[in-house]
Amino acid sequence: MIVLKGLEELRERYPKPVVTIGNFDGVHLGHQALFALATKHAQEAGGASLAMTFEPHPMRVLRPAVNLPLITPLEQKLKLIEAAGIQVAICVRFDEYFARLSADDFVDKLLVRRMGVTEVVVGYDFAFGRKGLGDIDLLKAKGQSRGFSVSVVGPVMVDGLPVSSTRVRQAVRAGNLEAARHLLGRNYQIAGRVVTGQGRGARLLGFPTANLRVEDELLPGNGVYAVLMENEQGDLVQGVTNIGQNPTFDDGGLNVETHLLDFAGDLYSRHIILHFVERLRPEKRFATPGELAAQIKEDIAQARQILLPWQQGRLKIQ
């Protein structure tokens, strides 16, 4: 996939471009439906499929006080968009100047003059232009006058409600990984680099852990999880991850640490991905390190049962 980091890199016209537009945070099933239709129509027309997204997320500019955590950092989002079959991704810089662009100028100057679109694929709730005043009716009217078609994808329903980034955030924060998986079409994941921890895992508890400096903004709620760790070579290793403040030791700060099952390698400074499969229990304070170690043994036994079909490939992590 070709990635353009800004409109200034859009220096050529792609053949018969079919473009879908959105923030695509999470790249959930609703977003995937847009990519599938854009890709299908581009193939049928002998053209190119494009996805236009925005960096930073518009909420960071328009309502910074909300402090909205991203489900997928940009690089992960781009990988998922590429996996969906899109040929060109355009990361439009969203700033105060771009936010003032009128709906008419968004279509006329950007979609028509700069991109020469033949079709625009959008979701049922799509809005664009200054203050979101552009709607689907306006887009269709502009398409009729400027010579491009508009395809609208309806809501993708899960459990009787439309899939949305808000629902994904709620599920992940609650530690409801099954609900998140149903909305995303894959296991929720976070990534980061392994750093030096307190050393208590191996020394006091007998269970060494990989401590993660997390790149992602949205973490599952505090608790203990069955996970699959993916290393830089793409290998999968079973693990048990604790997210929280380590109340038994009164650490205070938030930690993400993973004990890997049947693993004897050195991961320090390595970049890893954690695929969250199921929440085992909430985080809790234990009276002694020995009581915590006994609970970890139970967590490991439970995680092995849960993770076996994923490890064997009978269930897909993505």
Side-chain angles (χ1 to χ4, degrees):
M1 182 176 74
I2 298 170
V3 177
L4 306 180
K5 296 289 185 72
L7 289 172
E8 64 276 5
E9 295 189 11
L10 185 62
R11 301 186 182 97
E12 64 176 283
R13 286 282 187 94
Y14 292 96
K16 299 179 182 177
V18 178
V19 61
T20 183
I21 308 166
N23 296 315
F24 306 131
D25 187 26
V27 193
H28 55 57
L29 293 180
H31 302 143
Q32 293 168 40
L34 294 172
F35 301 143
L37 188 61
T39 300
K40 177 176 180 290
H41 286 187
Q43 290 174 342
E44 292 172 347
S49 58
L50 288 75
M52 180 190 296
T53 189
F54 305 99
E55 179 66 20
H57 193 292
M59 287 287 283
R60 298 282 168 89
V61 176
L62 301 176
R63 298 178 64 188
V66 173
N67 194 26
L68 184 74
L70 295 180
I71 303 168
T72 44
L74 179 61
E75 293 306 316
Q76 183 193 4
K77 179 168 69 172
L78 291 173
K79 289 179 181 178
L80 292 167
I81 291 174
E82 181 177 20
I86 293 294
Q87 295 169 291
V88 182
I90 305 173
C91 304
V92 176
R93 177 165 181 78
F94 195 94
D95 53 21
E96 293 182 358
Y97 172 79
F98 189 84
R100 292 194 294 269
L101 191 67
S102 70
D104 282 330
D105 284 346
F106 182 89
V107 175
D108 295 335
K109 295 182 178 180
L110 182 54
L111 298 184
V112 176
R113 294 180 195 169
R114 294 288 302 268
M115 301 178 66
V117 297
T118 58
E119 182 180 354
V120 179
V121 176
V122 294
Y124 67 100
D125 56 353
F126 179 67
F128 63 100
R130 185 171 58 241
K131 297 183 178 180
L133 295 177
D135 58 14
I136 290 174
D137 288 338
L138 175 61
L139 185 63
K140 287 182 175 180
K142 297 290 287 187
Q144 289 180 346
S145 64
R146 302 306 300 268
F148 63 87
S149 62
V150 176
S151 294
V152 180
V153 176
V156 175
M157 309 296 287
V158 169
D159 296 330
L161 295 170
V163 174
S164 68
S165 298
T166 297
R167 290 185 65 192
V168 174
R169 289 189 190 91
Q170 291 171 343
V172 172
R173 282 169 164 163
N176 190 343
L177 280 308
E178 182 179 10
R181 182 161 55 245
H182 289 162
L183 298 167
L184 293 168
R186 64 182 185 278
N187 286 318
Y188 185 69
Q189 66 185 60
I190 64 173
R193 200 161 295 279
V194 177
V195 297
T196 303
Q198 299 287 342
R200 286 190 300 246
R203 177 169 46 86
L204 290 180
L205 302 174
F207 300 100
T209 59
N211 295 266
L212 194 65
R213 179 181 293 146
V214 179
E215 299 168 352
D216 298 72
E217 299 178 3
L218 179 67
L219 294 181
N222 287 9
V224 180
Y225 297 87
V227 304
L228 289 170
M229 184 277 291
E230 180 181 350
N231 63 19
E232 292 169 327
Q233 291 72 44
D235 302 320
L236 296 176
V237 180
Q238 296 180 9
V240 175
T241 293
N242 183 83
I243 297 178
Q245 283 79 24
N246 288 329
T248 302
F249 300 102
D250 295 317
D251 278 357
L254 184 67
N255 299 284
V256 178
E257 48 189 338
T258 302
H259 172 67
L260 298 171
L261 314 186
D262 309 317
F263 180 81
D266 182 3
L267 288 174
Y268 284 119
S269 80
R270 302 289 186 179
H271 187 272
I272 65 172
I273 299 171
L274 296 179
H275 300 265
F276 286 79
V277 176
E278 188 171 317
R279 190 172 194 252
L280 301 178
R281 61 175 175 85
E283 187 181 44
K284 60 181 290 189
R285 179 189 294 273
F286 293 87
T288 67
E291 289 185 11
L292 173 56
Q295 179 61 61
I296 292 173
K297 288 182 181 178
E298 294 182 15
D299 296 337
I300 291 172
Q302 184 181 359
R304 287 189 188 278
Q305 292 183 335
I306 291 168
L307 295 171
L308 183 60
W310 299 89
Q311 182 76 40
Q312 293 177 338
R314 286 183 277 143
L315 297 172
K316 300 297 184 183
I317 65 170
Q318 294 187 25

